[in-house]
Amino acid sequence: KSAHNRGLQVWPIISHSFTNTGLTKEILSSSKKRQYVIQQIIDKSKLYGFDGINVDIENIQNETSAVWVQFMRELYPQLKAEGLIVSVDVYMPSNWSGHYEREKVSAASDYFIVMAYDQHWSGSETAGSVSEISWVDEGIQNTLKEVPKEKLVLGIPFYTRLWTETNEGLSSTPYGMTSAKQLVDKWGVIPQLDSISGQNYAEVEKDQTTYKLWIEDYSSISKRIAIMEKYELAGYGAWKLGLESADIWDVLGQVK
């Protein structure tokens, strides 16, 4: 109600167990269970007055590809019949994610949101940016080979990762934009532009530990929005609300 009073639409996320791929396969492989899920979405949408749905089913395996596509093909017309907008979240193109069938899935959705982040993630063997600017640009180019620009939404990160390197190994911790800035201020270092990532970068060493941070800020968000405008995409989406710093709304507010 609060969103509707502000003239905003509400698209809840339909998600799943990221780690239990067997459960996802079991549900998607059954026409009866697929329809049960779809009907629940319709019922909840009517109950709460949703305007659309965002499908965030990740970690699909190769053997689940066909039934994943089938689920979207069954979901889409039924939700459209109820006047609901259908959006879907999919990874950036890579050697391991071709089975996501971007062209087929985009045909069964109104908006295709490419998650242009987690280039380096918690399981990465090397430290790095969660989303280098050049990596985003290349990923959008490749996605556009399968998804029309009118449907393509650029996913941008409102977070970064603090990388900790010791003799024992590498680890990382996610940080929101404001908390990351506060951390750098506490270090007392001045971030420098990293030519590889296109982002501001800060590093400090203490107690035989190296801390590295590729910073998400006004500058990086501006570059991401520039990519969105360069390729005339449908818009942007962000993960996630509440992790952003207040100043970036100055640039996001200029998006038409």
Side-chain angles (χ1 to χ4, degrees):
K1 289 180 180 178
S2 176
H4 286 164
N5 288 339
R6 294 166 180 256
L8 302 173
Q9 294 186 355
V10 178
W11 306 353
I13 285 180
I14 170 68
S15 191
H16 69 130
S17 173
F18 182 88
T19 55
N20 192 340
T21 57
L23 180 59
T24 301
K25 180 180 179 181
E26 177 185 345
I27 294 172
L28 293 182
S29 299
S30 165
S31 59
K32 182 178 180 180
K33 291 178 180 178
R34 289 196 303 267
Q35 185 56 42
Y36 181 62
V37 171
I38 293 170
Q39 190 58 52
Q40 288 185 88
I41 294 173
I42 293 173
D43 291 344
K44 294 295 185 183
S45 297
K46 290 180 177 179
L47 177 63
Y48 294 111
F50 298 153
D51 305 289
I53 291 293
N54 176 245
V55 181
D56 187 41
I57 299 179
E58 304 178 32
N59 202 17
I60 292 291
Q61 307 299 298
N62 274 287
E63 62 269 21
T64 319
S65 177
V67 291
W68 150 243
V69 173
Q70 185 61 26
F71 171 71
M72 291 301 299
R73 285 175 168 170
E74 294 171 3
L75 173 83
Y76 187 53
Q78 294 187 62
L79 265 59
K80 293 306 294 178
E82 300 294 335
L84 295 167
I85 295 170
V86 178
S87 61
V88 60
D89 307 328
V90 179
Y91 298 116
M92 288 273 272
S94 63
N95 293 332
W96 58 266
S97 65
H99 62 282
Y100 271 82
E101 300 282 8
R102 291 171 177 81
E103 185 174 2
K104 294 177 182 178
V105 170
S106 69
S109 61
D110 296 306
Y111 293 104
F112 185 103
I113 304 173
V114 59
M115 297 182 289
Y117 39 78
D118 279 351
Q119 178 185 5
H120 294 87
W121 59 295
S122 60
S124 295
E125 297 181 355
T126 58
S129 166
V130 297
S131 180
E132 296 175 359
I133 304 302
S134 60
W135 176 76
V136 174
D137 194 288
E138 181 181 3
I140 291 300
Q141 291 183 47
N142 289 330
T143 304
L144 284 169
K145 295 176 182 178
E146 301 179 89
V147 181
K149 66 181 182 180
E150 294 81 11
K151 289 189 174 185
L152 186 55
V153 174
L154 173 62
I156 61 177
F158 280 172
Y159 69 97
T160 184
R161 284 190 171 275
L162 170 65
W163 295 91
T164 304
E165 295 180 348
T166 66
N167 293 332
E168 284 71 41
L170 176 71
S171 62
S172 71
T173 304
Y175 272 73
M177 295 172 67
T178 299
S179 57
K181 182 181 183 304
Q182 291 171 344
L183 181 63
V184 174
D185 291 343
K186 182 179 179 180
W187 288 347
V189 300
I190 299 176
Q192 302 294 321
L193 180 63
D194 172 42
S195 59
I196 296 177
S197 66
Q199 296 172 262
N200 288 318
Y201 171 77
E203 179 179 321
V204 67
E205 292 188 22
K206 57 182 179 179
D207 301 327
Q208 297 183 319
T209 301
T210 302
Y211 298 94
K212 298 180 177 181
L213 192 66
W214 282 262
I215 300 170
E216 202 63 46
D217 55 15
Y218 185 96
S219 173
S220 62
I221 294 295
S222 297
K223 292 176 181 178
R224 301 185 194 286
I225 294 302
I227 292 175
M228 182 203 78
E229 294 175 337
K230 172 183 176 182
Y231 294 105
E232 300 178 328
L233 305 184
Y236 71 87
W239 184 263
K240 63 179 180 174
L241 196 64
L243 296 181
E244 79 283 2
S245 55
D247 62 324
I248 67 159
W249 291 110
D250 292 337
V251 62
L252 295 179
Q254 297 173 21
V255 176
K256 296 181 180 179

